[in-house]
Amino acid sequence: MAGTGLGKTIAIAELEYDLVIRQGARVAHMGFEDTRRDVQIRLLSIHISDRLDIEPKPDDAMRAIHGEVFGAGNVWLFDPETAEWTVEVILSYVRYCAKALDAQIILIDPMSFIAAGLSAGDDERRTLDKVSRDLAALEKELGVHLQVTHHLTRPEGTAHEEGAQTSLNQVRGSGGIANFATYVIGHERNQQAEDPDQSLIMRLRL
């Protein structure tokens, strides 16, 4: 969990890369904020330690890098542009990833976007409580690991984007997300720091 723009998605990508490339894990990535191409470019950039979104390589080089990361077929990417976002369907996606694709780890980035699929009049807190419970039950039933990112509410005083300390009572929309999680990791960074080096330092709070 973190404030907006503090690096939740990048952190997920770094974990995903380590799991897939260094550990050979089978990972399904459900990214709601990015296209599949965004996710691919991010992982390829981590692989070569270069920003391919800014300076792409020639086609032959890109194909070679892509094969090194995705050639083993251990990564499945959710398509947010065509997929349905309702709660029931997202839960069915998780089951499909585990049963049909044999994924060991499923990434949901961010959980907040599930609220975008709610119907008018739905109670966001109650719905996210139920989704959190259902995901926890699915995780146990299917024997998979779910890694979820989520947003925080704005604290009083210093904003999270200015380095405010994270807290479980700041979980946006639902305390159930924290209650059903095995671990909750808060990302803290002052992206407004006058010293550019200080703005890059991330503190993790477990």
Side-chain angles (χ1 to χ4, degrees):
M1 301 188 302
T4 302
L6 292 188
K8 297 184 296 299
T9 297
I10 292 295
I12 282 284
E14 293 282 357
L15 287 171
E16 185 174 8
Y17 177 81
D18 186 83
L19 289 164
V20 171
I21 300 301
R22 297 194 175 92
Q23 301 183 48
R26 299 182 298 277
V27 177
H29 185 122
M30 297 174 63
F32 294 99
E33 293 181 319
D34 298 313
T35 65
R36 285 185 294 182
R37 183 181 184 280
D38 292 333
V39 177
Q40 289 174 328
I41 292 296
R42 190 175 292 120
L43 291 174
L44 299 182
S45 296
I46 293 171
H47 185 60
I48 66 168
S49 299
D50 200 358
R51 289 288 301 272
L52 291 172
D53 56 330
I54 296 175
E55 295 185 11
K57 305 294 184 185
D59 288 349
D60 288 347
M62 291 293 287
R63 279 192 289 268
I65 299 167
H66 189 279
E68 292 171 4
V69 176
F70 294 98
N74 285 339
V75 184
W76 296 276
L77 301 179
F78 172 80
D79 185 357
E81 297 174 305
T82 61
E84 188 176 342
W85 289 22
T86 61
V87 172
E88 293 76 13
V89 171
I90 288 170
L91 292 172
S92 72
Y93 290 156
V94 171
R95 183 177 295 278
Y96 175 82
C97 289
K99 290 289 190 179
L101 303 180
D102 197 27
Q104 299 166 298
I105 299 160
I106 301 170
L107 309 176
I108 300 177
D109 178 39
M111 181 90 152
S112 320
F113 266 55
I114 292 179
L118 300 182
S119 301
D122 284 348
D123 186 306
E124 178 179 343
R125 182 185 63 78
R126 290 180 181 274
T127 300
L128 288 175
D129 278 348
K130 184 178 186 303
V131 170
S132 301
R133 183 199 66 191
D134 291 347
L135 286 174
L138 272 179
E139 184 178 43
K140 293 180 174 63
E141 174 195 342
L142 301 172
V144 296
H145 171 71
L146 292 176
Q147 180 77 41
V148 176
T149 69
H150 194 60
H151 291 96
L152 297 169
T153 58
R154 294 187 179 278
E156 295 182 5
T158 304
H160 291 117
E161 293 75 20
E162 297 175 357
Q165 180 174 315
T166 57
S167 171
L168 288 180
N169 64 15
Q170 296 166 349
V171 177
R172 177 178 168 183
S174 168
I177 295 172
N179 293 336
F180 287 105
T182 304
Y183 295 102
V184 179
I185 302 173
H187 294 239
E188 300 170 0
R189 179 168 68 90
N190 182 4
Q191 63 180 196
Q192 309 297 325
E194 294 183 5
D195 182 345
D197 291 336
Q198 290 296 316
S199 70
L200 299 176
I201 296 174
M202 178 77 77
R203 178 185 292 108
L204 301 182
R205 187 176 302 277
L206 180 61

